[in-house]
Amino acid sequence: MEFKPIGIIRTPFKRKEDAPIQPSRSSACGEVEVFKKYEEGLEDIEGFSHIILIYQFHKSEGYSLKVKPYLDDNLRGLFATRAPRRPNQIGLSVVKLLKRKKNILFIESIDVLEGTPLLDIKPYVPDFYPKENVTIGWLEGKIR
Amino acid sequence: MEFKPIGIIRTPFKRKEDAPIQPSRSSACGEVEVFKKYEEGLEDIEGFSHIILIYQFHKSEGYSLKVKPYLDDNLRGLFATRAPRRPNQIGLSVVKLLKRKKNILFIESIDVLEGTPLLDIKPYVPDFYPKENVTIGWLEGKIR
């Protein structure tokens, strides 16, 4: 199936080495430029304090089914990690929406590379994300 | 950019009219069949109680920039909703992972149609999803 960018994410991170490993560890600000033809679809988004950006890991090539995550010394199954080298190079970040100016969204706590192609935006609704009785496998004890 | 399925989601919902509107409102069980060639990438996933499925809204065609959500009487900007008719037909659901048997994941609280093409799986880590100081725009008062 064919997907195409609906916009571009602008961030201070020019190189992979500069990017934070998770949005929740980043206080970096950035901008999401949604292409003009989609601007009307941004109406009502200002009501949401946080949005989900879905994008392409455009600097990533190929994939490995076992990867050594940044936070771990062991090889882990790819789908138990957020590593960028995936069969489909789709990334996902929850960011804070500071304001909208026409087709530009000003965001905070972004962790992606400058020029990242945007695929979709969804509203973030905490009720859809469980907080209790959640286990986090190999990450247990590594991020708390 | 070209993406291709890494598996298929099996659910009880054969028709759009049967599917629940959100995973958190569904107690339906289903199975995720990850294609054999990707099975090794599922290692370590059993440690996570919840996973994020990224998939294609394969029964959806075209898009509208203004939509009337199920929970609302007003037209809203598409990107402030989870409506399936989007420029890129990418869907996202957090589901409960009950168990894994080789390349099959048994899941609960699924809301997608039978035969949905799977694009990616990511571990769900609650720390990356804010719970406080979150506003939810037009959804306020509609889902609590």
Side-chain angles (χ1 to χ4, degrees):
Chain A
M1 64 203 80
E2 180 73 18
F3 290 141
K4 53 189 175 192
I6 62 162
I8 298 285
I9 309 176
R10 309 279 181 204
T11 80
F13 310 117
K14 307 275 188 238
R15 303 176 311 160
K16 289 180 198 177
E17 308 83 80
D18 302 331
I21 55 162
Q22 300 293 353
S24 58
R25 296 176 174 236
S26 167
S27 57
C29 289
E31 295 176 16
V32 177
E33 178 195 337
V34 175
F35 298 145
K36 270 284 178 192
K37 65 181 284 199
Y38 302 116
E39 180 178 329
E40 192 185 1
L42 293 175
E43 279 179 36
D44 301 297
I45 206 162
E46 303 91 327
F48 293 84
S49 59
H50 296 75
I51 55 177
I52 301 173
L53 303 179
I54 298 176
Y55 49 83
Q56 184 196 18
F57 289 118
H58 65 305
K59 293 293 187 190
S60 187
E61 270 177 49
Y63 67 90
S64 308
L65 291 177
K66 298 297 285 287
V67 296
K68 200 182 80 56
Y70 182 81
L71 288 168
D72 198 19
D73 295 324
N74 301 302
L75 282 172
R76 302 295 181 181
L78 174 66
F79 300 115
T81 79
R82 296 166 44 111
R85 297 185 63 244
R86 318 178 76 81
N88 294 307
Q89 301 163 327
I90 299 175
L92 172 73
S93 296
V94 180
V95 299
K96 194 169 176 184
L97 176 60
L98 302 175
K99 66 174 173 179
R100 172 167 83 97
K101 204 166 170 181
K102 294 185 177 172
N103 65 321
I104 309 290
L105 304 177
F106 295 82
I107 57 171
E108 191 183 289
S109 62
I110 182 66
D111 62 344
V112 308
L113 292 177
E114 159 63 20
T116 291
L118 178 70
L119 295 175
D120 200 5
I121 300 175
K122 296 185 193 291
Y124 172 67
V125 181
D127 282 28
F128 302 155
Y129 296 85
K131 270 289 177 193
E132 288 170 7
N133 303 318
V134 175
T135 61
I136 56 169
W138 65 267
L139 272 165
E140 202 72 55
K142 293 194 162 61
I143 54 166
R144 302 279 159 112
Chain B
M1 64 203 79
E2 180 72 18
F3 290 140
K4 54 188 174 193
I6 61 162
I8 298 286
I9 309 177
R10 309 279 181 206
T11 80
F13 309 117
K14 308 274 188 236
R15 303 176 310 160
K16 288 181 198 176
E17 308 83 82
D18 303 331
I21 56 163
Q22 300 293 353
S24 58
R25 297 179 172 236
S26 168
S27 56
C29 289
E31 295 177 15
V32 177
E33 178 193 337
V34 174
F35 298 145
K36 270 285 179 191
K37 65 182 283 201
Y38 301 117
E39 180 178 331
E40 193 186 1
L42 293 174
E43 280 179 37
D44 300 297
I45 206 162
E46 303 91 327
F48 294 84
S49 59
H50 296 74
I51 55 177
I52 300 172
L53 303 180
I54 298 177
Y55 50 83
Q56 185 197 15
F57 289 118
H58 66 305
K59 293 292 187 191
S60 187
E61 271 178 48
Y63 66 91
S64 309
L65 292 177
K66 297 299 283 288
V67 295
K68 200 181 81 55
Y70 182 81
L71 288 168
D72 199 18
D73 296 323
N74 301 301
L75 282 173
R76 301 295 180 181
L78 174 67
F79 300 115
T81 78
R82 296 167 44 111
R85 297 185 62 244
R86 317 179 76 81
N88 295 308
Q89 302 163 326
I90 299 175
L92 173 72
S93 296
V94 180
V95 299
K96 194 168 176 186
L97 176 60
L98 302 175
K99 66 175 173 179
R100 172 166 82 97
K101 206 166 167 180
K102 294 184 177 173
N103 64 320
I104 310 290
L105 303 177
F106 295 82
I107 57 172
E108 191 183 289
S109 61
I110 182 67
D111 62 344
V112 308
L113 292 178
E114 159 63 19
T116 292
L118 177 70
L119 295 175
D120 200 5
I121 299 174
K122 296 186 194 289
Y124 172 66
V125 181
D127 281 29
F128 303 155
Y129 297 83
K131 270 290 176 190
E132 289 170 6
N133 303 317
V134 175
T135 62
I136 56 170
W138 65 268
L139 272 165
E140 202 72 57
K142 293 193 162 61
I143 54 166
R144 302 277 160 112

